[in-house]
Structure formats: C-alpha cells, structure tokens
Amino acid sequence: MIRTDEKSPKQKQNIKFDLNSYLKEHQELVEVALDKSIIPAKPEKIYEAMRYSLLAGGKRLRPILCLASCKLMGGTLSMAMPTACALEMIHTMSLIHDDLPAMDNDDYRRGKLTNHKVYGDDIAILAGDGLLAYAFEYVATETKDVPTDRLIKVIAKLGRTVGPAGLVGGQVLDLESEGRTDITAEVLSFIHTHKTGALLETSVVSGAILAGASEDDIAKLSKYAQNIGLAFQIVDDILDITATDEQLGKTAGKDLVAQKATYPSIWGLEKSQEQAQNLINDAMAQLESYGKNADPLIAIAEFIVTRNH
Ligand code: GRG
C-alpha cells in the first residue's frame, strides 16, 4: 500500500530553495522581455547605443526583485514585467552616465567597453537620456491588468527614485565627497541609500504595489529592501578590494586608487562584512510571516552577502 502521508527523502532533508535555477529562469525571462522592449528604428545609432548597454548582461537583480515581490503579494509576472524592464532601463542609464569621463571615467562595464568608449560621450549621454525617458513611456503604455491608481503610484515612485531625492541626489553628494578624507559613515550611508538603495527599494515595493499589497506588507518589504540595499553597497565596496577585474567585469581597486571613502576604509574589511551580514539578517526577519513563499527574496538576500561579482 502507498502511504501518502509519509515524507519523501527530499522532504525529510528539507531541500533548500534552488536560487541558481530561480535566477537563471528569471534572467532568461527578463532578457527576452528587454530584447523586445526596444525595437531598432531611425536614427539607428541611438537605438543601437541604447540596446548595446541594455542587453550587455548584468545580474538583472532589480527586475527579478520586482517580479519576486509582485508574485509574493499575489500578482503575476506579466503584471510586473513592464516595470521590471523599466527598472533595468533606469539602472542601465545610470551606469552609462556614471561611467562617463565627467563622472567615474570607466572603460569597462559588464565585461564590455563602456557606452562612451564605443559611441562617444555625446551619444552615450543621449543613450542614457533615451533610456530614461523610454522607461517611463514603457511602464505607462505596456502595463496591462493593473488598476490605474496602482500604476500611477508606481510611476510617481520611479520618478522620485531617479531624481534629486534618489539617484541624482546620491550621485551629487558622492561627487562632492571625492578626495575628502573626513567622510563619516553617516555621509556614506546617505550617498548609498540614495545612489543604490533607492532603486533597489523601488524595485521591491513597485512589484508589491502592482499586486495590490496592503500598507503593512509594503512597509515590511520596504524595510527588507532598504537593508539589502545597504548590504549590497557594503559588499560592492568589499569586492572592489577583494575581487578581480574578471569577476567584476570592470576595473577592480578603483576606490583605493581614487582614495574614495568606502565602508572598508571607515570600518575595515571584517567589520564591513559583519555589518552586511547583520543587515541581511534584519532583512530576512521582515519576511518571516510569509513562510516558504518568501524563499526567493530570502535567497536573494543571502546571495547579496555571499556573491563574488
Ligand atoms: C538617474 C538621471 C539619473 C542620472 C544618473 C550617474 C548617476 C545619476 C547615478 C549613479 C548611480 C550608480 C551608478 C550607482 C551604483 C549602483 C551599483 C551598485 C551598480 C552595480 O549594480 P549591479 O552589481 O550591476 O547590480 P549589474 O551589472 O549586475 O546590473
């Protein structure tokens, strides 16, 4: 007789969530959606430059966070996919502008020559501007089966995240801090919560808004995302010291050469690692009430502190 109440060997071992397969599957979905999102047209050069950076790979962490959070809150992948693509367009435009000679002056990004190295500074600026504007058009026109009030909330949140209260503000303070030796952990935290954390938080929260999540759920997911955002940046600073050019797909050790204030320069490597781990533990605690449904977001949080690229 077959006993249906008995646990299989797999269940007995309490098999861990397979993040690699999850990331691979979702990265593939995002790649296909991104490829379809921008159809080449005239003038050919600008579409080519926009697609060059948008389709250059990368972890696709922001779109995946948006999709995972929408799913956790009872929504579908298709409800969140246009926003997921827009998040990646915004992220990519910020990388293109960040790499310009007037900013960080980087030659490599995602293992390829930076946009301005291939197309020139003028086209790279315009490719960034094009991606930014198109991101908003894309969310507004392509989102289906989502009530308009939710969509407007998402569009407003995206706008706030990009502007002076988000990425732009963080980048300005970062530029002003260059070459200064008196940068405190508080200033550094302001820079990173704006430059990096804001877009990660918006990725998670916008997925939840699209799914119609309650204020209470949004507050928990926002806290989760703020914590992983800061941990992500601390790990980024650590990797700049410990990883290779090949692992990073860009020049390693740039912060040290530029004598830039980073978490390891303020706290040392060991304390930085410890702080990142504490933030990740706090992030995971926010999701306890969702049980196994939160496995993807929990595993992504763990990945952030253990990644080597
Ligand atoms: C947004 C209007 C506007 C202007 C841009 C240049 C700028 C203002 C802001 C800088 C933002 C920036 C480059 C922050 C760093 C974010 C970061 C940690 C990038 C690396 O992210 P990963 O590791 O990269 O997710 P991949 O390549 O995997 O996507």
Side-chain angles (χ1 to χ4, degrees):
M1 197 176 104
I2 300 168
R3 290 195 47 192
T4 49
D5 59 341
E6 198 162 311
K7 285 196 166 72
S8 72
K10 270 192 176 182
Q11 284 171 313
K12 276 184 194 156
Q13 285 168 23
N14 190 18
I15 292 294
K16 238 177 112 61
F17 177 76
D18 183 358
L19 180 67
N20 282 341
S21 306
Y22 180 89
L23 289 180
K24 192 166 176 286
E25 183 194 327
H26 286 76
Q27 273 157 357
E28 279 166 13
L29 290 173
V30 170
E31 292 303 331
V32 171
L34 285 174
D35 189 29
K36 283 193 195 145
S37 70
I38 299 183
I39 296 158
K42 285 195 188 326
E44 281 150 16
K45 198 177 198 178
I46 192 64
Y47 286 93
E48 191 190 311
M50 286 160 66
R51 285 176 59 88
Y52 173 80
S53 291
L54 188 65
L55 304 177
K59 295 180 284 297
R60 309 309 195 191
L61 194 54
R62 294 150 190 84
I64 293 175
L65 284 170
C66 175
L67 298 174
S69 157
C70 183
K71 203 79 203 291
L72 175 62
M73 291 294 115
T76 61
L77 292 188
S78 65
M79 282 165 93
M81 193 55 96
T83 303
C85 289
L87 287 159
E88 192 64 27
M89 290 175 201
I90 292 170
H91 171 55
T92 302
M93 80 72 54
S94 80
L95 300 179
I96 296 174
H97 282 195
D98 193 55
D99 291 335
L100 286 167
M103 304 253 189
D104 264 10
N105 195 16
D106 272 303
D107 292 352
Y108 289 94
R109 171 71 70 176
R110 294 172 162 172
K112 293 175 77 173
L113 282 172
T114 43
N115 199 288
H116 66 273
K117 280 276 155 192
V118 178
Y119 298 99
D121 296 0
D122 46 7
I123 293 296
I125 292 169
L126 292 166
D129 295 344
L131 281 169
L132 182 57
Y134 190 61
F136 285 89
E137 178 187 340
Y138 197 71
V139 177
T141 57
E142 293 301 317
T143 306
K144 309 279 185 259
D145 304 322
V146 172
T148 312
D149 60 326
R150 293 185 203 165
L151 187 54
I152 288 174
K153 268 192 197 161
V154 166
I155 293 172
K157 189 158 175 66
L158 285 173
R160 186 170 170 80
T161 303
V162 169
L167 269 77
V168 168
Q171 180 75 349
V172 169
L173 203 61
D174 195 17
L175 293 173
E176 284 177 356
S177 304
E178 250 171 44
R180 286 181 49 181
T181 50
D182 58 347
I183 303 301
T184 59
E186 286 69 35
V187 173
L188 204 54
S189 153
F190 181 96
I191 293 172
H192 295 312
T193 49
H194 289 71
K195 254 186 82 166
T196 309
L199 193 58
L200 289 167
E201 197 257 356
T202 293
S203 304
V204 173
V205 169
S206 60
I209 293 173
L210 291 166
S214 70
E215 288 303 321
D216 187 44
D217 285 327
I218 289 177
K220 283 183 192 158
L221 286 165
S222 170
K223 189 82 187 38
Y224 157 86
Q226 286 170 32
N227 281 332
I228 66 164
L230 197 49
F232 186 86
Q233 188 59 52
I234 297 174
V235 172
D236 226 52
D237 285 357
I238 294 172
L239 289 176
D240 187 69
I241 300 170
T242 59
T244 62
D245 290 7
E246 289 69 34
Q247 281 169 324
L248 296 183
K250 61 177 188 177
T251 319
K254 278 203 74 171
D255 295 343
L256 274 179
V257 173
Q259 292 185 312
K260 217 171 159 177
T262 62
Y263 288 104
S265 76
I266 293 177
W267 291 331
L269 271 176
E270 204 174 317
K271 185 170 171 207
S272 301
Q273 189 70 50
E274 222 176 86
Q275 296 278 10
Q277 188 61 59
N278 290 340
L279 286 162
I280 292 300
N281 293 345
D282 278 0
M284 296 198 289
Q286 298 300 320
L287 306 183
E288 256 163 21
S289 58
Y290 306 117
K292 291 207 75 66
N293 290 342
D295 274 359
L297 290 179
I298 298 270
I300 290 171
E302 279 172 345
F303 163 74
I304 282 172
V305 268
T306 51
R307 73 196 169 105
N308 64 3
H309 63 288

